[in-house]
Amino acid sequence: MNFGYREVCLDHDTGPRHPESPDRLRAVRRALKDRHGVEYVAANDADTDLVRSVHDSDYIDEFRAFCDDGGGNWDADTVAVEATWSAALASAGTAVWAAEAALGGLDGRDTPFGLGRPPGHHAVEDDAMGFCFINNVAVAAQAALEREADRVAVFDWDVHHGNGTQDIFYDRGDVFYASIHEDGLYPGTGGIEETGAGDGEGTTLNVKYEPGADTTDYLAAIDDCIAPAIADYDPDLLLISAGFDAHEHDPISRMRVTTEGYGAMTQRMRTLADDCGAGLGFVLEGGYGLDTLADSITTVHEVFDGYEPVIADGEVDEDARTVLDELAAQGFGSK
Ligand SMILES: [Zn+2]
């Protein structure tokens, strides 16, 4: 794969005990070091006018001034230092690069993956939250729409609901947002009844699973619900909000997706993008076990290098099936 990466993203220093640390990117880069076919691309900063097209301009001014003053705690767990502004623009820039590269035809072994931090999917139009300041995937989707895409789909497999991405596009029909997330976790949004509004009615799809959902349950959500809905939507670009905190060994969730499971989800997304004739790009979100994050991203990479993940047959959990049946009743999924 081609990985968008900038050293400045390491300068966003969240302190010694914060799970969203620069060591995350260091671990990923270490794991990718000896792998075949890994290319790095230093993407440009995101254009601030583009950032302001999905965020409130006053909020962006406030965020910049906060960093210029040396940063601090924006809220209890969203921390900035002076360099966070530069890191956030670079992080959003790697996401924009991933979107534009995918739209421009980079695929197969060259599929783009933006490895930026801070992450983005919790950042709402006018506020930072949940470790996120600029909504990277939203800026990337907007960039694609301003370029040549008519419709963009975002699939968010981070264990948390991407409330920011959902909010930004909730009443717009040009971005389809789908997420699988764990019930009871931060920020508490993403109920299955949240399906969009106005022009965006039917373009938000939330699979909210009970804690403990595993690879089988995730693949069922994709096969029975998310992939058919996105295929119906027929996007020009499919962006993956790729967090790896639903991993069975991630320290902050109770989901049980395996490393191979991320490979299998990657295969599904590649097939889906091909079926839609859409570009496919990945944007890093969360993932807080350093080894599991590194191994999972390596597996995503290997899938584009020909690796076939092995998934044992399993039964879909009863609670998970209930969620998928309710979504089918709302018109999402295979008929
Ligand atoms: Zn997360």
Side-chain angles (χ1 to χ4, degrees):
M1 298 184 86
N2 287 13
F3 290 93
Y5 174 75
R6 297 269 305 279
E7 290 285 328
V8 68
C9 287
L10 302 178
D11 297 340
H12 168 52
D13 182 357
T14 47
R17 282 172 300 279
H18 200 289
E20 202 292 286
S21 81
D23 287 341
R24 298 175 60 233
L25 295 187
R26 293 191 184 103
V28 172
R29 300 230 319 148
R30 214 161 31 241
L32 290 173
K33 203 168 182 158
D34 302 320
R35 298 294 168 152
H36 176 255
V38 173
E39 300 284 343
Y40 283 102
V41 175
N44 295 323
D45 283 351
D47 178 78
T48 50
D49 287 338
L50 179 66
V51 171
R52 288 171 201 273
S53 68
V54 300
H55 286 289
D56 180 81
S57 212
D58 290 343
Y59 158 64
I60 294 300
D61 291 342
E62 200 185 337
F63 167 45
R64 181 172 197 166
F66 186 75
C67 297
D68 284 349
D69 286 348
N73 273 69
W74 184 277
D75 63 28
D77 51 22
T78 309
V79 185
V81 291
E82 190 174 351
T84 298
W85 169 255
S86 307
L89 281 188
S91 186
T94 63
V96 170
W97 162 80
E100 291 186 340
L103 206 53
L106 219 57
D107 63 0
R109 288 169 199 265
D110 297 322
T111 299
F113 193 137
L115 276 183
R117 64 178 287 279
H121 72 155
H122 295 306
V124 293
E125 188 186 355
D126 62 354
D127 207 0
M129 58 185 283
F131 316 163
C132 303
F133 295 91
I134 294 175
N135 194 312
N136 305 315
V137 81
V139 174
Q142 185 66 31
L145 292 167
E146 289 182 14
R147 212 178 158 111
E148 62 199 60
D150 294 323
R151 286 179 305 284
V152 176
V154 176
F155 172 42
D156 186 334
W157 74 36
D158 187 282
V159 79
H160 302 95
H161 179 236
N163 61 298
T165 316
Q166 171 172 305
D167 278 10
I168 287 167
F169 299 117
Y170 202 64
D171 58 1
R172 284 173 49 174
D174 51 359
V175 176
F176 189 102
Y177 176 74
S179 172
I180 308 176
H181 43 275
E182 179 180 325
D183 196 2
L185 282 191
Y186 183 90
T189 49
I192 63 172
E193 73 287 354
E194 296 168 26
T195 57
D199 291 345
E201 185 57 59
T203 64
T204 295
L205 167 49
N206 284 305
V207 179
K208 190 178 219 171
Y209 272 162
E210 293 293 316
D214 63 9
T215 298
T216 301
D217 303 321
Y218 269 66
L219 293 178
I222 291 171
D223 293 342
D224 297 355
C225 191
I226 291 170
I230 290 177
D232 273 354
Y233 183 71
D234 193 23
D236 304 302
L237 174 66
L238 173 59
L239 292 174
I240 310 304
S241 249
F244 296 87
D245 39 10
H247 194 284
E248 58 182 341
H249 297 134
D250 189 278
I252 71 171
S253 88
R254 286 184 283 167
M255 295 310 215
R256 294 189 288 129
V257 176
T258 58
T259 303
E260 294 287 289
Y262 284 106
M265 290 201 285
T266 300
Q267 276 187 321
R268 284 348 194 239
M269 290 304 116
R270 185 177 57 180
T271 302
L272 174 61
D274 285 349
D275 289 349
C276 297
L280 175 63
F282 292 73
V283 175
L284 181 64
E285 299 288 357
Y288 303 102
L290 297 182
D291 291 342
T292 53
L293 172 68
D295 289 349
S296 300
I297 292 181
T298 301
T299 301
V300 171
H301 163 73
E302 294 289 313
V303 165
F304 289 100
D305 208 43
Y307 176 67
E308 301 267 351
V310 180
I311 302 294
D313 286 339
E315 283 282 313
V316 176
D317 173 80
E318 218 169 283
D319 288 337
R321 179 52 68 197
T322 303
V323 170
L324 299 181
D325 285 348
E326 285 175 29
L327 285 163
Q330 291 181 24
F332 289 118
S334 41
K335 318 287 188 296

